[in-house]
Amino acid sequence: MIFLPRTSFMFSSVVVVFLVGGLLSIVGQHKPGPAVSLLQEIHSLKLNSTVCVDPEAVDRASTDFGLITRAVPAAVFRPSSDRDIAALVGFSYASARPFGIAPRGRGHSVRGQALARDGVVVDMGALRGDGQGRIRVCGEGCRPSYVDAGGEQLWIDVLRETMKHGLAPRSWTDYLYLTVGGTLSNAGISGQTFLYGPQISNVYELDVITGKGETVTCSEQHEADLFFAVLGGLAQFGIITRARIAIEPAPTMVRWVRLIYKDFAAFTSDQERLISPEKKKGFNYVEGSVIMADSLTDNWRSSFYVEEDITRISRLAAQYGAVYCLEGAKYYDHATASSIDQELRSVVDDLRYLPGFEFRNDVSYMHFLNRVREGETKLQSRGLWNVPHPWLNMLIPRSRILEFDRGVFKSILKHNNSVGPILICAMNRNKWDQRTSAVVPDEEVFYAIGLLRSGMDGWKNLEEQNEEILRFCDDAGISYRQYLPHYTSLADWRKHFGAKWDVFVERKMRYDPRALLSPGQRIFTSSFAQHQSM
């Protein structure tokens, strides 16, 4: 039997609630308001987990990587099992006073999407522990091969574990210190997306806790509607606690190439040629970026170059206002190393980059996939990582990309001197499963634009530039979509989802009818939840 004493023992203004005979522990600052009310409601749950309301834990959960938005939760829930998360969600769903619940992996959202004002933030990282049993590789003997990974697991750890078997997932994000559940709730994109699709196109099965507190195993064959709803669903329909991810034999080495262009039309045309389904034996990875005069300073991508190259490219960017970098990677191993030079020449010889501006490196496959980490460490040492990140990510149809270049790269961002890269990556629509919740432009080829700018000083000016870019696109009639979307009105969310909006709402009513999950996305208001519970 669970017994909550009427008197709590206070030490240094910290209250510890002892549950005699029970396993749920609650630690934190003793204060009035929603936190205490919430603790009083959930104390009867028989859980082997911790609910924290101490100022330090709550403060960490009140903001995210963006450091722009702040929303203070009532408590932070540190689960010891998936079952405890399901119990928490089920309790809120059945409660007369339901509270919002936000699963948080690394908190790498930039607009408060992982926050829960006056609700509960679930610290998914508490499930990682030593990782034993939460990442399981099924390679030899499994057809197809796969890795089962807990939703809280970091992609870098998934990579390390699968590489022990000579295997690896096919589709990645540029940054690997993100959680499996986090990227699958969005899409998960990088330079491999043109070939294999986003990460959500490479999943066989999920374990999901719905907004009703139900744990469901789903796949394309079983509970398919929930499966496709959750993939790219912005954590609106369920919390991913396990994903079964496609893997294949991993290469050992990468020939990594960067080519510099001064002409945007040639740059985009070559990208489109490289991602074309007709392009056989081309690059395994294709991504682009915009380089301005000072872009390679304090940029996590600059570690690729030696100092002399940075000086040459920066001078070229200053001369033309901006230049463009096409980045490609070709995988190989020791058995094919002797032919990699010839294979590379067959790929790049017809491209229209500037003579003398071809740069290459040979690195291990692990180093290539984890390439952002080196730049992150560099920026952290200089105090340039944990700063505001007013990022803007957009998907632009191919037919409007030249206009976007003229209006944005050559105009609005003409004097950009912020820290962080500007990415531009061509993608094939047919690699995205349209049954998922993710939305992309209607054209067969589109571009992912990542304005990954940051800075302690002047970040509000960057926000104003972001708004100017969005206004430019709206005024020009460019049918863009935001990736990692952030909108403040229902009309904008309707526009974002387009033809998928009605299905999105129906799925919300089916799987999270009280609108408990990830309230920081700000898609469904409290009035929606009240209407659905009537």
Side-chain angles (χ1 to χ4, degrees):
M1 181 177 70
I2 305 297
F3 172 68
L4 179 65
R6 294 181 181 273
T7 304
S8 299
F9 297 90
M10 298 183 63
F11 302 95
S12 302
S13 74
V14 174
V15 62
V16 182
V17 181
F18 298 96
L19 298 182
V20 180
L23 297 175
L24 175 66
S25 63
I26 305 172
V27 297
Q29 180 76 31
H30 181 64
K31 59 181 180 179
V36 170
S37 175
L38 186 59
L39 296 182
Q40 291 172 342
E41 290 188 31
I42 66 175
H43 77 268
S44 61
L45 296 176
K46 298 180 180 180
L47 308 179
N48 189 24
S49 296
T50 301
V51 179
C52 298
V53 293
D54 66 274
E56 184 178 350
V58 169
D59 184 66
R60 284 197 304 269
S62 297
T63 190
D64 56 15
F65 180 69
L67 292 178
I68 294 171
T69 302
R70 183 172 177 81
V72 181
V76 177
F77 186 73
R78 292 175 176 159
S80 62
S81 67
D82 299 344
R83 182 185 68 84
D84 283 8
I85 300 174
L88 178 75
V89 177
F91 179 82
S92 181
Y93 175 69
S95 174
R97 294 187 295 173
F99 46 88
I101 298 172
R104 179 188 177 103
R106 291 296 308 281
H108 216 262
S109 61
V110 298
R111 310 275 175 183
Q113 291 94 329
L115 309 184
R117 187 183 303 277
D118 294 333
V120 175
V121 171
V122 179
D123 178 7
M124 298 296 290
L127 290 172
R128 277 197 291 274
D130 59 9
Q132 296 300 311
R134 299 289 294 188
I135 302 177
R136 186 176 69 88
V137 178
C138 190
E140 186 176 351
C142 291
R143 296 291 181 272
S145 300
Y146 64 83
V147 56
D148 277 336
E152 77 290 342
Q153 294 296 316
L154 302 181
W155 282 103
I156 183 62
D157 293 326
V158 174
L159 175 62
R160 287 168 176 155
E161 192 64 29
T162 56
M163 287 288 283
K164 293 177 183 177
H165 303 263
L167 302 166
R170 301 179 297 202
S171 187
W172 295 94
T173 59
D174 282 349
Y175 183 56
L176 302 187
Y177 289 77
L178 304 173
T179 61
V180 169
T183 66
L184 295 183
S185 295
N186 288 280
I189 60 176
S190 186
Q192 301 94 348
T193 302
F194 82 93
L195 190 59
Y196 297 112
Q199 290 180 317
I200 58 173
S201 294
N202 293 273
V203 178
Y204 296 135
E205 185 178 272
L206 297 171
D207 284 344
V208 174
I209 297 171
T210 72
K212 298 178 181 180
E214 300 168 344
T215 300
V216 182
T217 298
C218 54
S219 66
E220 187 174 354
Q221 291 76 34
H222 179 71
E223 300 287 352
D225 185 69
L226 177 61
F227 178 71
F228 290 116
V230 169
L231 293 172
L234 307 178
Q236 291 301 294
F237 311 108
I239 299 172
I240 297 172
T241 57
R242 179 187 64 90
R244 178 162 292 179
I245 302 156
I247 54 178
E248 65 180 14
T252 57
M253 296 294 293
V254 174
R255 174 65 57 85
W256 188 6
V257 180
R258 289 186 181 177
L259 312 170
I260 305 300
Y261 293 69
K262 67 176 182 179
D263 182 73
F264 186 78
F267 163 73
T268 53
S269 177
D270 280 356
Q271 269 210 65
E272 291 162 21
R273 290 173 61 193
L274 290 170
I275 73 163
S276 170
E278 285 73 40
K279 185 68 175 179
K280 305 299 182 182
K281 296 184 178 180
F283 283 134
N284 303 99
Y285 164 101
V286 176
E287 195 167 281
S289 60
V290 182
I291 300 175
M292 297 178 182
D294 297 320
S295 291
L296 294 181
T297 303
D298 298 328
N299 186 320
W300 72 66
R301 294 169 62 85
S302 61
S303 58
F304 177 93
Y305 305 102
V306 298
E307 285 299 323
E308 180 182 348
D309 295 337
I310 291 176
T311 299
R312 291 179 62 213
I313 297 169
S314 297
R315 286 174 179 169
L316 194 70
Q319 179 182 350
Y320 291 102
V323 293
Y324 309 94
C325 173
L326 195 159
E327 183 175 17
K330 194 158 183 63
Y331 304 159
Y332 67 100
D333 54 34
H334 296 297
T336 58
S338 60
S339 62
I340 188 64
D341 287 332
Q342 181 179 350
E343 291 181 18
L344 181 65
R345 291 263 55 93
S346 70
V347 176
V348 304
D349 275 353
D350 294 333
L351 302 180
R352 293 170 290 170
Y353 60 94
L354 288 171
F357 284 88
E358 175 185 340
F359 308 93
R360 63 176 66 181
N361 281 318
D362 285 279
V363 297
S364 71
Y365 183 61
M366 175 74 78
H367 177 92
F368 174 73
L369 291 181
N370 198 28
R371 60 198 177 276
V372 175
R373 184 65 167 179
E374 182 180 347
E376 175 194 358
T377 302
K378 172 184 173 182
L379 294 181
Q380 283 180 337
S381 68
R382 301 181 60 184
L384 297 174
W385 186 258
N386 297 316
V387 297
H389 293 83
W391 288 2
L392 176 63
N393 294 274
M394 306 175 70
L395 306 178
I396 305 294
R398 172 188 175 275
S399 65
R400 309 302 295 275
I401 196 63
L402 297 181
E403 187 177 357
F404 188 89
D405 172 58
R406 291 190 297 268
V408 177
F409 299 146
K410 290 188 173 71
S411 181
I412 297 174
L413 301 182
K414 186 175 182 179
H415 300 293
N416 173 69
N417 59 359
S418 62
V419 175
I422 300 174
L423 306 182
I424 173 169
C425 185
M427 298 187 175
N428 293 312
R429 190 176 192 271
N430 63 6
K431 297 295 183 178
W432 293 65
D433 194 322
Q434 296 306 310
R435 293 172 293 180
T436 69
S437 294
V439 290
V440 298
D442 292 334
E443 297 184 10
E444 286 307 310
V445 173
F446 62 91
Y447 283 84
I449 308 294
L451 303 175
L452 309 185
R453 304 177 298 162
S454 61
M456 184 62 70
D457 299 322
W459 69 266
K460 292 184 178 179
N461 293 331
L462 299 180
E463 280 283 75
E464 291 174 359
Q465 280 191 339
N466 290 340
E467 292 299 324
E468 187 178 357
I469 291 168
L470 295 174
R471 284 195 302 272
F472 165 78
C473 291
D474 289 334
D475 293 344
I478 297 176
S479 298
Y480 66 89
R481 296 287 187 271
Q482 286 191 33
Y483 179 66
L484 310 178
H486 169 72
Y487 302 102
T488 57
S489 73
L490 181 61
D492 285 336
W493 280 112
R494 286 178 179 273
K495 180 181 177 182
H496 171 78
F497 284 106
K500 289 189 176 184
W501 172 250
D502 288 342
V503 173
F504 197 85
V505 173
E506 289 170 5
R507 285 171 165 173
K508 186 68 171 179
M509 293 169 62
R510 187 176 304 129
Y511 301 116
D512 184 21
R514 302 196 76 176
L516 305 179
L517 300 179
S518 294
Q521 294 282 1
R522 300 177 65 184
I523 304 174
F524 299 101
T525 64
S526 58
S527 59
F528 170 87
Q530 292 168 359
H531 174 74
Q532 301 308 327
S533 63
M534 291 176 60

